[in-house]
Amino acid sequence: AQSVTQLDSQVPVFEEAPVELRCNYSSSVSVYLFWYVQYPNQGLQLLLKYLSGSTLVKGINGFEAEFNKSQTSFHLRKPSVHISDTAEYFCAVSGGTSYGKLTFGQGTILTVHP
Amino acid sequence: NAGVMQNPRHLVRRRGQEARLRCSPMKGHSHVYWYRQLPEEGLKFMVYLQKENIIDESGMPKERFSAEFPKEGPSILRIQQVVRGDSAAYFCASSEGQDPYEQYFGPGTRLTVT
């Protein structure tokens, strides 16, 4: 079975500061990893995904994530955040016998203060 | 190209009534997934369907819940005899193909059981 742990439930940060949202996964097979963002009362939007190849993945809105197989991590980073980045962020994994099913972490609420 | 559409956006039902949630996938997408987001919890997979077939229903509660994706028309998630614990946001996603294709999420249906 696969599982995802997002290590921080809430991350407060000031505008223009860097941020890292942490995600660890557990799986006995090769996985595909995703980060989604959810703004209040909206659906989820894909930020970025790791399928294979380069371990550094760049996504939309200036976000990037690094796949670390030895540490089973897929942390999300942004060098300088904006007020508009305030949202909930979900790490997700699929692969193996899940046939497309996404397993999500509990979510991290990022709050950017002016 | 319209995105994933869900209706209604908000649904209020009294205990014991039936709830029907509809999802129209993106054009050209033949794979549909349903997820549930309960308060204070992350998103949980419920069911994965292709046209006229249920591929994976491992996340569906054993009773009262059913899903279909007919040859024509939207996918339907049906909840019979709703209880207060069914109050949640229900999200539909669609993809062009199977894992690891990107899943596009709809805006969700927020079900409130009174």
Side-chain angles (χ1 to χ4, degrees):
Chain A
Q2 298 168 335
S3 66
V4 177
T5 302
Q6 291 183 241
L7 298 162
D8 306 293
S9 60
Q10 297 193 47
V11 173
V13 65
F14 287 107
E15 194 173 18
E16 297 184 8
V19 71
E20 179 179 80
L21 306 184
R22 297 180 293 169
C23 171
N24 285 94
Y25 68 92
S26 173
S27 176
S28 58
V29 297
S30 296
V31 296
Y32 308 108
L33 294 154
F34 306 81
W35 274 100
Y36 283 85
V37 60
Q38 184 181 30
Y39 299 101
N41 298 316
Q42 294 185 27
L44 280 75
Q45 180 183 9
L46 181 70
L47 280 176
L48 48 78
K49 60 187 175 187
Y50 171 79
L51 304 182
S52 64
S54 173
T55 57
L56 183 62
V57 181
K58 294 190 182 296
I60 63 171
N61 301 341
F63 284 93
E64 64 180 31
E66 186 155 17
F67 171 59
N68 188 319
K69 187 175 182 179
S70 63
Q71 297 186 8
T72 61
S73 67
F74 190 55
H75 301 332
L76 181 71
R77 291 190 281 262
K78 186 170 182 178
S80 176
V81 294
H82 303 289
I83 297 286
S84 59
D85 292 323
T86 295
E88 189 161 17
Y89 292 78
F90 292 94
C91 181
V93 63
S94 73
T97 59
S98 67
Y99 296 115
K101 173 174 91 175
L102 288 171
T103 300
F104 285 90
Q106 292 293 92
T108 297
I109 297 173
L110 173 65
T111 304
V112 181
H113 298 283
Chain B
N1 188 9
V4 178
M5 300 179 69
Q6 290 188 248
N7 66 80
R9 293 292 307 275
H10 300 275
L11 181 62
V12 180
R13 285 287 178 265
R14 292 181 178 171
R15 280 179 296 172
Q17 291 184 319
E18 179 180 286
R20 282 185 178 239
L21 288 63
R22 294 174 183 76
C23 168
S24 297
M26 285 183 67
K27 186 177 180 181
H29 286 191
S30 58
H31 299 246
V32 165
Y33 314 81
W34 285 93
Y35 295 86
R36 178 166 65 173
Q37 186 175 34
L38 290 162
E40 307 302 322
E41 295 187 24
L43 288 100
K44 304 292 185 186
F45 167 81
M46 299 182 74
V47 63
Y48 165 29
L49 310 106
Q50 293 182 34
K51 289 281 187 180
E52 301 183 284
N53 284 307
I54 297 175
I55 306 302
D56 182 351
E57 56 181 349
S58 59
M60 287 281 270
K62 298 300 180 191
E63 297 178 348
R64 302 186 297 108
F65 285 72
S66 63
E68 62 177 8
F69 188 17
K71 186 176 181 181
E72 301 291 337
S75 175
I76 306 287
L77 179 67
R78 182 182 178 206
I79 311 172
Q80 294 179 291
Q81 299 176 336
V82 296
V83 301
R84 287 213 172 119
D86 297 333
S87 294
Y90 292 82
F91 291 95
C92 168
S94 73
S95 69
E96 183 179 356
Q98 201 179 64
D99 170 81
Y101 289 91
E102 176 178 342
Q103 293 184 21
Y104 292 82
F105 281 77
T109 293
R110 278 153 183 83
L111 172 66
T112 301
V113 179
T114 61

